[in-house]
Structure formats: C-alpha cells, structure tokens
Amino acid sequence: MKVLIIEDDPTVSHFIRKGLTEASLTCDVAADGKRGLQMAESGQYDAIVLDRMLPEMDGMQVLQHLRSKRSETPVLILSAKSKVEDKVVGLRSGADDYLTKPFAFEELMARLELMVQRSAATPEQSNVEVTLTAADLTLNLLTRKVHRANQSIELQGREFRLLEYLMRNKERVITRTMLLEKVWDYNFDPQTNIIDVHISRLRQKIDKGFAVPLIETVRGAGYRMRDNIEDRMLS
Amino acid sequence: MKAIRDFSRSSSFSLSALFTALLMLGVFFIAYFIVISSDQTLIRESEAAIDVDAKGIQEIYYLAGIDGVTQTLRMRVQDSTNSSFYAIQDQDGQMLVGNLSDWPTDIKELRTDRLAVFNIDRSFVANIPSAIEKDAQSYNVLGRTMVFDGQYQLFIGRKIDDLEIAQWVGRTFGWLIVFVLCLIAGISLWVGYYVVSRINDISETADRIMNTGDLSARLPVESTWDDLSSLAVSLNRMLSEIEYSVNNIKSVSDNIAHDLRTPLTRLRQRIENQFDEETARPLLNEADNLLDMFNGLLRIADIEADKKRCAFKTNAVDDIVHDVVEMYQPLADDKNIRIAAEIKPTSATCDKDLIFQSVANILDNAIKFTPEDGLIQLYCGYANGEVIIRINDSGIGIDADKHNEITQRFFRDESSRTTKGNGLGMAMVAAIVKLHRGKLRFASNPLHTGSGLGVSLYFPTGL
Ligand SMILES: Nc1ncnc2c1ncn2[C@@H]1O[C@H](COP(=O)(O)OP(=O)(O)OP(=O)(O)O)[C@@H](O)[C@H]1O
Ligand SMILES: [Mg+2]
C-alpha cells in the first residue's frame, strides 16, 4: 500500500510518515497543495492523507480538482477544526473520511486501512449481502437473527448494530472513536471507557462459553473482529 | 440587544424634550399675544376714538345747532391731518356736508348708534381725507351713525385698513415665530432620535461581534461630520487590532495541539519499547490520561471559541437524552443503580453532539458518584418555555457551598479523589450551556435520600 501525505506542517507529516514506515508502508510527502495535486494525479497511490489548510492551494480545492478528474483514490482529510460543519463539507466534496487534529496514530492507521479496503471492494459485494459471517458467527440482516455455532443469540438494538459494524469490517482494527461515530452516530468524547463496557457486554453474549473469543482487543488502538480461525480450533 | 431600548428613556430624548417644552411655552405666549392683539385691542381704540368724536359733535349740536356742526365738519374735512370719513344728511336725504358723495347703501341699513365695519367704495368718496392713502380701490371703515332731533343723520367713520395691515403683520410674524419654534422643537427631537438610533446601531454591532465572535465585523460609519462616526472609526481601528492579535494567537494554539501530541506519542513509544508489559501498563495509562486531559482542555477552548453556532439545528432533545441513557445504562447496571427516566417530547435549536456530550458528562458523574444500589432520576421536558434536563442522584453529593466550584476546570472534591477523572467534565458542560445561552443549577439532596446532587440544565428552545 502506498500513501501520499499532503501536509505543510513538517511535525505532522513526519509523525505520520514514521508511523506508516514502521507499519511497512511506503509513503511520499508533499508540502503544498499544488505539488500534492500533481503527485496525486499520477495515480500511483492507494490512499491520500490531505490537510485542509495548505499553502498555494487549499486542501478542499485539491480534493475538488482530483474528483473532477475522476480520480477515485480514497482521501482522508485532516483538519485542525473539530466543528461538525467542516466535516460535513469535507465529506460532501468527496472525501472518504475525516480526522481532526490532534489524533492518535492508531486512529489514522485504522481509518486508512478501512478506507482502502472499502474502496477496493466492488459495490455489489457489500449491497447484496443478507448475512454477515465471521468465523462461526452469522448475522442475518433481514431477520436480525444472530447465531454462533448454531446457537441462537439474543441481541438488543444497539448491540446488534455494534456487532454488525464489527462484522462488516472483520479482521480490521476498529477504534473507539470510529464506533462512536458509526454505531452511535455522535461525535463526542466519552469521559469513561463506556465503549469498552458495551464491548464487554457483547462479548458476554457472543464469546462466553466458546473456546476462541472473536472480539479481540488491539492494545492502544481498539478492537478487531476475528474471522480467519482454523476450524479445528473452534470446535 | 439595543443599548437604548426605549427612545423616551435616553438622555438625548430628555434634553430634546426639555427644549421642546421650553419652546412650546414660548409658542404658547406668542399665540396668546396674537389672540389678544387681534381685532380687539386696536379696534377698540378706534371705537373709543369714534365715540369721543361722536360725543363732541353732539355737544356742538346742542350748543351751536346744525350750523355749528356743519361748520365744524367742513373744517375737519379740509384739515390736512384728517383721517376720518364724515357725512351728514337731512331728512330728505340731502347731503349737507362731508367727504362722502353719497350715503353708502350698507350704511342705510345700519341701526343708529351701532358700530360696524364697512367697505366703502372709492366712488362714494367725494373728498378723500388728506391723511389717508389716495389710490386705494376701496376702504375698510369702522363707523357709526347718529341722529340729531330726528332730523339730521350723521355718519362718522375711521379707516381701519392700516390697523388691519398692522394686525396682519403682527399675526404673520407671530405665526412665523410659532412655526420656527415648532421647527426647532421638531429638529431637536429628530437630533435626539438620530443620536439614539446611531448609538443603537453601534451597540447592536458590538453585541453581534460578542455573540458570534466574528471579529471581522465593523461598526457602521455613515458620515464624516458627526462625532459618533469618528467614535465608530476609532472603535473599528481597535477591532482590526484585536482581530489581528486574536488570529495570531489562534494559529499558535492550533499548532500547540500537535506540537504536544508528538512528544507524548514519542514518550508512549519509548515506554512500550523499553519496559516489559507489567511496568509499561501503568505508565502508558498515565501518558494516555495526559493526552485525554489535553484533548479535554482543547475541546473546552474550542467550544468557548465557537460562537458561530453553525452546527445548530432543530433537534429532538428527547431522542438525544434517550441515546445518552441507553449508552450509559450498562454502566449503571454494573453498579445496580436504577435510572428512572421521564423523557417528554422536546425539540430545540441546538448542537446535537454537544447536548449529547453535556448530558453524558452529567450522567457519567451521577453514576460515578452514586454508590451501589442507588437511584438516578432523569427528567427531560419544557419548563417556562425553556428546555430543561434534570439529573438527580442519591449519591455522595457535594457541599452546597462548593456548588459554584463544580464547573471550574480541574476541580475535584476531596471526597471524589479516589474516582477516576480530570475534573474537566463539568467545565465542558458549563461551556456548552453558555454556548446555548442556557443556565446550569445545582441542588443538594434532590431525592431526599440524605445526600446526592441534582443538576439542572436549562436552555432556550430557539436562538
Ligand atoms: N453527581 C455528583 N455527585 C457528587 N459530586 C459531584 C457530582 N458531579 C460532580 N461532582 C463533583 O464535581 C467535581 C467535578 O466534576 P467533573 O465532572 O468536572 O470532574 P470529574 O468527574 O471528577 O472528572 P471528569 O469528568 O473529567 O472525568 C467532581 O470531581 C466531584 O467532586
Ligand atoms: Mg465528570
């Protein structure tokens, strides 16, 4: 995976670059909007991290140029502004995700991976699905029934949505902020480990009594729904 | 908000009202004078003169008979200072003497001894009295008739055209002065009004700048001649100066966010790499806590600075509160705390995420500071046209004299030092409430369980 970072602040770009290199990804940095657009148009990147405020050319302009040329490279916008309306404008002009500064590297990483995976998936794949599966867990979107190893599991509304989101993004790191935004649809800062409490409730229902837990905690980042587990381990 | 909401209560208005009152007093006096001086005084003088004249002639008649009278009148008519009209006729209507050629018709209708004003055409005047204007078409004359012994009828008249001119001049000038005074009164009221509305313009703009935080707004400058405009010009200069410094500060603090984040991340990595899992965990937690604290402070600063309220929309507050309760329910369940919620349909113009945040912070505290098996009562609805969200708990509570410290940054009561937290939750709530032009109230022992805290959040439904 090759990532382009368009960011004028060397501290931030260095911070991102270092993290990405450690995760053995390649990346290039452009320090202003014009240069960034040129590099992005070459089409050799899998994802672009774009700062909103840039010299020469504003981040939103770069995005508009890119999208008007039918480039579909997924773009994650970085912004110092945490206001909701900025986010809405950013997503409406064709960005795939939005992250406000300051951010934890794990957060950026998780979002980048998810973004790239999503853009690689063909639309039919995600639309036609009626049942989601992860290892021996199945979730039916129509009947809203959940089974693990043929055992029926009762879930409440929010638990169902939580599980659905994790299963749709199985084998991916999902951060707590992503869960807040996607499952609860609120952009807020919980003072407590409230997400962990919900996850542990979900675990009680789907992992308790099974040899292999499916919801895995990724230290310092979030959670991951496991899928690739050898059959003999499950039984 | 207008600085001077009621024009009639402003100092400019009081002054102009005082001027107007004084001028009106003047107007009143002049008008009074006009009324007094019109017709009456001057006319009465002429009447008196005619009466005196008439009495004199009557005396002459008694002493010297009709001949004496004709003699006297003839002399009078020829006198160069004469300004009166005389005519005397006998029983047959024969003119004996006088400066009228004929007895004017309307005089015939006049009853004896009554004074009246006539219009005598020039053609009736045989011998124009030397002291009066010669080339007039007709004369306005005040006159009376008198009869001697039933034989002779005398007419005495005085020209009153001059009087009328004097009267007209007096009246016109009087009204002119009245008009000028009224004009001055009107202008002074208008000046008062102008000043007040200019001040209101200026203070409205100032308020808008305060409310929206939009420092690029400027006070209106209408002209260069009035003092208020020069005041506005210098205030605008001040605004430009402030805008410049604020923008400077903002760009610096935006950067601080990241500047601090990077070394903290480095610290985290070092800890992870150099220590074994067991030693690292508490250190990592400390580092994360530092980051959380930092994020919290930045968030509060963000909310305080965001005066634009762009994200404000009409939201169903009850749904938001519902979602908070649903989200925090597991936390309460773990401590076997019952949440009794009464959530009525409520809608208001607000920022959905921020209202969620504030209710979550309050509920988080309520759960945190309430021991096992406690009770939390939650109400959401309207009170006096405002939205009210009230969260009462049966927890450990806090002394009433510390209530106004709860919203201070980093405040944590002695009794709560053992619980987790940074003391930023309620500071954030206070910032959010202020952004919504609402208020926050605390109450002790709200559920009559012996202790506990009640937090009520009010904010207007619309902005
Ligand atoms: N419901 C409550 N009952 C008793 N004390 C309270 C309650 N709510 C707040 N307080 C007191 O007010 C202090 C400040 O509350 P605040 O929410 O700002 O901080 P915190 O909860 O300690 O930390 P944080 O919210 O940052 O995690 C608390 O430490 C506590 O002493
Ligand atoms: Mg708190």
Side-chain angles (χ1 to χ4, degrees):
Chain A
M1 188 161 105
K2 204 167 175 193
V3 182
L4 172 64
I5 305 161
I6 311 179
E7 163 69 86
D8 60 321
D9 185 341
T11 329
V12 182
S13 56
H14 184 248
F15 168 70
I16 302 173
R17 179 187 215 140
K18 196 160 163 266
L20 291 178
T21 320
E22 272 166 20
S24 25
L25 300 178
T26 38
C27 61
D28 292 328
V29 176
D32 68 72
K34 274 215 176 103
R35 178 101 191 81
L37 183 60
Q38 274 172 11
M39 290 167 76
E41 279 171 342
S42 69
Q44 51 170 321
Y45 298 100
D46 300 298
I48 298 172
V49 177
L50 175 64
D51 189 33
R52 254 203 90 153
M53 304 223 263
L54 288 168
E56 300 290 329
M57 200 178 197
D58 179 53
M60 297 315 290
Q61 281 173 295
V62 174
L63 181 60
Q64 271 156 17
H65 273 272
L66 216 54
R67 290 295 181 246
S68 68
K69 299 216 168 112
R70 309 222 164 262
S71 160
E72 300 203 330
T73 319
V75 172
L76 182 143
I77 293 204
L78 279 186
S79 164
K81 294 179 187 159
S82 61
K83 286 153 205 149
V84 181
E85 107 268 12
D86 276 344
K87 196 167 189 161
V88 173
V89 171
L91 295 179
R92 208 177 281 149
S93 3
D96 296 80
D97 208 347
Y98 195 100
L99 192 56
T100 51
K101 296 179 191 172
F103 51 88
F105 180 75
E106 288 80 1
E107 187 75 43
L108 176 74
M109 192 64 204
R111 282 171 189 263
L112 275 181
E113 282 185 338
L114 194 67
M115 204 170 78
V116 172
Q117 181 214 25
R118 223 187 291 138
S119 77
T122 44
E124 303 92 67
Q125 249 178 316
S126 50
N127 278 345
V128 181
E129 279 173 334
V130 171
T131 53
L132 303 173
T133 57
D136 55 350
L137 183 68
T138 58
L139 179 145
N140 189 311
L141 290 167
L142 288 181
T143 60
R144 301 185 74 81
K145 289 233 161 67
V146 180
H147 292 272
R148 181 159 184 196
N150 295 327
Q151 228 171 295
S152 173
I153 297 167
E154 284 297 317
L155 291 185
Q156 276 155 14
R158 195 73 63 174
E159 289 168 338
F160 187 86
R161 280 177 65 182
L162 184 56
L163 185 63
E164 179 192 337
Y165 187 75
L166 288 170
M167 288 177 79
R168 274 190 194 281
N169 301 293
K170 60 190 177 186
E171 289 297 332
R172 297 279 160 198
V173 177
I174 301 297
T175 66
R176 293 174 179 84
T177 329
M178 284 155 83
L179 289 176
L180 275 175
E181 281 174 19
K182 299 286 156 42
V183 178
W184 275 272
D185 199 19
Y186 283 100
N187 177 3
F188 96 113
D189 171 21
Q191 312 265 295
T192 8
N193 53 350
I194 188 74
I195 297 297
D196 297 347
V197 175
H198 281 273
I199 291 283
S200 78
R201 295 226 142 188
L202 192 60
R203 274 184 175 145
Q204 286 277 317
K205 293 192 174 173
I206 68 165
D207 282 342
K208 203 178 177 192
F210 292 94
V212 181
L214 293 184
I215 302 175
E216 186 185 32
T217 305
V218 182
R219 202 147 55 75
Y223 300 97
R224 178 165 43 208
M225 189 82 202
R226 297 183 66 187
D227 182 32
N228 309 325
I229 296 167
E230 287 173 48
D231 282 348
R232 63 181 166 80
M233 287 186 68
L234 287 170
S235 45
Chain B
M1 196 188 77
K2 287 182 173 182
I4 303 169
R5 214 170 301 170
D6 191 354
F7 171 58
S8 63
R9 281 218 231 130
S10 73
S11 58
S12 330
F13 175 78
S14 315
L15 262 182
S16 56
L18 182 70
F19 282 140
T20 310
L22 286 175
L23 289 170
M24 280 304 165
L25 208 67
V27 167
F28 178 75
F29 273 119
I30 292 171
Y32 178 72
F33 175 71
I34 291 171
V35 170
I36 292 297
S37 67
S38 68
D39 317 359
Q40 278 59 41
T41 347
L42 292 174
I43 297 266
R44 219 165 273 149
E45 250 165 50
S46 300
E47 281 172 14
I50 290 170
D51 283 343
V52 169
D53 211 0
K55 268 196 194 108
I57 292 173
Q58 190 148 38
E59 249 153 55
I60 294 173
Y61 180 77
Y62 286 135
L63 296 174
I66 189 67
D67 288 341
V69 173
T70 47
Q71 198 100 32
T72 316
L73 288 185
R74 195 164 290 126
M75 271 159 59
R76 288 255 183 104
V77 166
Q78 274 153 14
D79 187 349
S80 62
T81 60
N82 176 43
S83 62
S84 301
F85 292 94
Y86 295 103
I88 187 157
Q89 65 176 358
D90 63 14
Q91 247 167 329
D92 312 326
Q94 182 80 37
M95 293 292 291
L96 297 179
V97 73
N99 46 12
L100 293 185
S101 55
D102 202 354
W103 204 251
T105 14
D106 34 351
I107 301 181
K108 283 179 192 149
E109 288 152 15
L110 185 71
R111 274 174 47 209
T112 315
D113 298 341
R114 278 282 298 273
L115 271 157
V117 177
F118 307 94
N119 191 283
I120 297 177
D121 197 83
R122 197 179 157 171
S123 54
F124 279 100
V125 186
N127 191 353
I128 298 169
S130 20
I132 66 174
E133 206 185 339
K134 296 278 190 301
D135 49 353
Q137 272 306 308
S138 63
Y139 303 97
N140 278 316
V141 170
L142 176 76
R144 58 173 287 189
T145 54
M146 68 194 295
V147 178
F148 305 120
D149 287 342
Q151 288 184 28
Y152 306 98
Q153 199 180 10
L154 171 73
F155 171 78
I156 305 176
R158 271 177 166 252
K159 189 178 145 287
I160 53 166
D161 282 327
D162 293 339
L163 287 185
E164 280 184 348
I165 286 171
Q167 247 169 42
W168 180 84
V169 168
R171 211 178 304 151
T172 312
F173 270 98
W175 285 123
L176 202 69
I177 289 174
V178 168
F179 173 73
V180 167
L181 291 185
C182 287
L183 200 69
I184 292 174
I187 289 174
S188 70
L189 275 180
W190 178 78
V191 166
Y193 181 76
Y194 175 76
V195 168
V196 168
S197 62
R198 292 276 291 132
I199 289 177
N200 275 342
D201 277 356
I202 291 177
S203 74
E204 258 165 46
T205 314
D207 275 330
R208 208 168 46 240
I209 292 172
M210 258 183 316
N211 290 335
T212 59
D214 175 17
L215 282 172
S216 61
R218 291 291 176 269
L219 301 173
V221 179
E222 266 168 25
S223 54
T224 43
W225 65 268
D226 69 329
D227 305 341
L228 284 172
S229 291
S230 25
L231 175 70
V233 167
S234 56
L235 285 177
N236 280 346
R237 259 208 310 275
M238 185 181 83
L239 279 175
S240 308
E241 200 55 39
I242 293 175
E243 187 187 12
Y244 177 75
S245 349
V246 165
N247 284 345
N248 257 0
I249 294 170
K250 220 177 235 158
S251 63
V252 167
S253 65
D254 278 354
N255 291 340
I256 285 179
H258 228 108
D259 293 347
L260 275 178
R261 169 67 78 171
T262 318
L264 276 173
T265 319
R266 238 184 344 243
L267 181 71
R268 251 191 131 262
Q269 276 165 355
R270 277 256 172 101
I271 295 170
E272 255 176 3
N273 295 341
Q274 297 191 344
F275 298 98
D276 58 296
E277 169 80 40
E278 220 169 297
T279 338
R281 196 56 1 226
L283 293 177
L284 286 178
N285 285 346
E286 276 313 311
D288 285 343
N289 191 40
L290 209 55
L291 274 177
D292 282 348
M293 191 144 98
F294 184 61
N295 282 345
L297 274 177
L298 272 179
R299 187 100 200 270
I300 295 174
D302 232 24
I303 295 165
E304 279 175 348
D306 181 18
K307 289 184 170 172
K308 291 201 197 79
R309 303 182 173 89
C310 297
F312 274 43
K313 286 195 185 69
T314 305
N315 286 306
V317 180
D318 48 332
D319 286 349
I320 300 174
V321 175
H322 234 286
D323 288 345
V324 180
V325 174
E326 192 219 61
M327 177 175 265
Y328 280 83
Q329 188 71 55
L331 221 52
D333 290 346
D334 286 351
K335 289 175 83 177
N336 195 27
I337 294 171
R338 195 167 75 85
I339 300 181
E342 185 184 355
I343 301 169
K344 296 191 168 157
T346 316
S347 91
T349 308
C350 58
D351 183 320
K352 163 176 162 273
D353 293 316
L354 291 182
I355 293 298
F356 187 94
Q357 179 84 62
S358 56
V359 179
N361 286 6
I362 300 171
L363 189 59
D364 178 47
N365 284 347
I367 297 172
K368 189 157 67 176
F369 298 112
T370 300
E372 305 223 328
D373 307 322
L375 172 68
I376 292 173
Q377 209 179 53
L378 184 146
Y379 177 82
C380 166
Y382 295 111
N384 302 325
E386 282 190 319
V387 175
I388 175 174
I389 300 169
R390 184 187 300 123
I391 297 173
N392 294 333
D393 67 56
S394 67
I396 58 171
I398 181 165
D399 291 345
D401 55 330
K402 285 189 188 148
H403 280 180
N404 47 8
E405 286 177 63
I406 296 178
T407 53
Q408 283 172 11
R409 277 162 222 212
F410 299 118
F411 170 78
R412 307 201 73 214
D413 194 40
E414 305 289 339
S415 57
S416 53
R417 292 279 153 83
T418 50
T419 58
K420 260 189 77 190
N422 292 319
L424 290 176
M426 291 306 289
M428 199 180 289
V429 173
I432 293 171
V433 168
K434 189 166 175 231
L435 184 70
H436 285 80
R437 300 187 210 280
K439 51 187 188 288
L440 198 59
R441 295 280 176 273
F442 298 102
S444 277
N445 189 19
L447 299 176
H448 310 290
T449 48
S451 64
L453 182 72
V455 182
S456 304
L457 190 158
Y458 303 84
F459 62 92
T461 53
L463 283 177

